[in-house]
Amino acid sequence: MSEQRMMDKEMKLLRSSKDQCRKRFKHVKNKDFPVRLWRLFALILGLLCVLLTAILAVLAVLKTRRDLVKEHQNSSRGTRPLKDCHCRICPELWFGNGKNCYQISLEKKSWFESKIACASRNTSLLQIDSKEELDFLKKLPMMVWIGLSRHSNHEPWKWGDGSTLYTDLINLQNSQKNQTGNCVVFRSIDRTFHDNCETKNLYICES
């Protein structure tokens, strides 16, 4: 009997210890659960904020571009047409001066990538042929690749069709960060400059 009682006591002690361990584990688990839940909630909230910020940025760019295009389409209707104007109607999201149609990209690319992107739309990088066209384009704020480049520092600047640049039309300057760039950026607010062809910029296509 004494051995049986001893075994019963040991079993009771084991069960008691087991129950205590379960209670402690449950207490710790319940205590840590709100912390983990809060961390998960904070992570999800942070990801949603980043996603919403990105969406708002894209919508702002699209709205600005649409407003600028609409503004220039309206202004071009009220101005005197260029000489020999064919009064072209430009596609949606393009703007024109009556003779040519233009589109500014939403994404930044290198000069070579920009040239390919325009060609894929059956257009080409912008080629400015007259002071009248230049004055028209200066009305629209932009800093974009145009179709003017050279093969090396010792060769002349040429447009995409192979014609040489008239220096009295565009006064090229060095970019502040690059003295030997071989591709040209048109910044309408102040100057036109040459930069490294691998630099990522917006670009303007012309048709």
Side-chain angles (χ1 to χ4, degrees), residues 42-95:
L43 177 61
I44 294 172
L45 186 61
L47 291 174
L48 286 174
C49 288
V50 172
L51 180 61
L52 287 173
T53 302
I55 292 173
L56 287 174
V58 171
L59 290 175
V61 171
L62 289 172
K63 183 179 183 303
T64 301
R65 178 180 168 184
R66 185 168 56 250
D67 291 345
L68 288 172
V69 169
K70 187 179 294 184
E71 178 186 343
H72 279 268
Q73 285 178 335
N74 292 336
S75 63
S76 63
R77 293 190 189 104
T79 57
R80 183 173 57 84
L82 295 178
K83 186 178 180 181
D84 300 326
C85 172
H86 299 292
C87 298
R88 292 181 56 186
I89 298 176
C90 296
E92 186 178 1
L93 299 181
W94 288 65
F95 64 95

Side-chain angles (χ1 to χ4, degrees), residues 68-207:
L68 288 172
V69 169
K70 187 179 294 184
E71 178 186 343
H72 279 268
Q73 285 178 335
N74 292 336
S75 63
S76 63
R77 293 190 189 104
T79 57
R80 183 173 57 84
L82 295 178
K83 186 178 180 181
D84 300 326
C85 172
H86 299 292
C87 298
R88 292 181 56 186
I89 298 176
C90 296
E92 186 178 1
L93 299 181
W94 288 65
F95 64 95
N97 57 7
K99 182 178 181 181
N100 300 315
C101 294
Y102 311 92
Q103 185 184 52
I104 299 173
S105 69
L106 292 175
E107 71 280 8
K108 293 184 176 182
K109 295 180 180 291
S110 70
W111 187 88
F112 299 103
E113 291 171 338
S114 301
K115 183 179 179 181
I116 293 172
C118 288
S120 69
R121 305 170 194 169
N122 294 320
T123 62
S124 59
L125 283 172
L126 171 66
Q127 177 172 328
I128 302 173
D129 295 319
S130 66
K131 186 177 183 304
E132 196 170 9
E133 183 179 22
L134 178 62
D135 291 341
F136 171 80
L137 292 168
K138 283 183 177 179
K139 297 176 183 177
L140 179 62
M142 68 177 93
M143 190 176 87
V144 291
W145 286 125
I146 61 175
L148 189 61
S149 64
R150 63 183 179 184
H151 293 295
S152 70
N153 298 347
H154 307 293
E155 296 189 41
W157 294 100
K158 291 189 175 183
W159 294 105
D161 64 359
S163 59
T164 303
L165 169 69
Y166 293 108
T167 54
D168 58 341
L169 180 61
I170 295 178
N171 181 24
L172 280 177
Q173 302 178 32
N174 295 328
S175 72
Q176 296 177 352
K177 58 185 178 181
N178 193 310
Q179 303 296 319
T180 59
N182 293 323
C183 296
V184 175
V185 175
F186 175 69
R187 189 161 67 186
S188 57
I189 59 172
D190 54 7
R191 65 196 179 102
T192 303
F193 60 90
H194 52 90
D195 201 356
N196 188 319
C197 299
E198 296 301 323
T199 302
K200 303 290 186 179
N201 282 311
L202 298 178
Y203 57 92
I204 180 169
C205 299
E206 177 184 20
S207 66

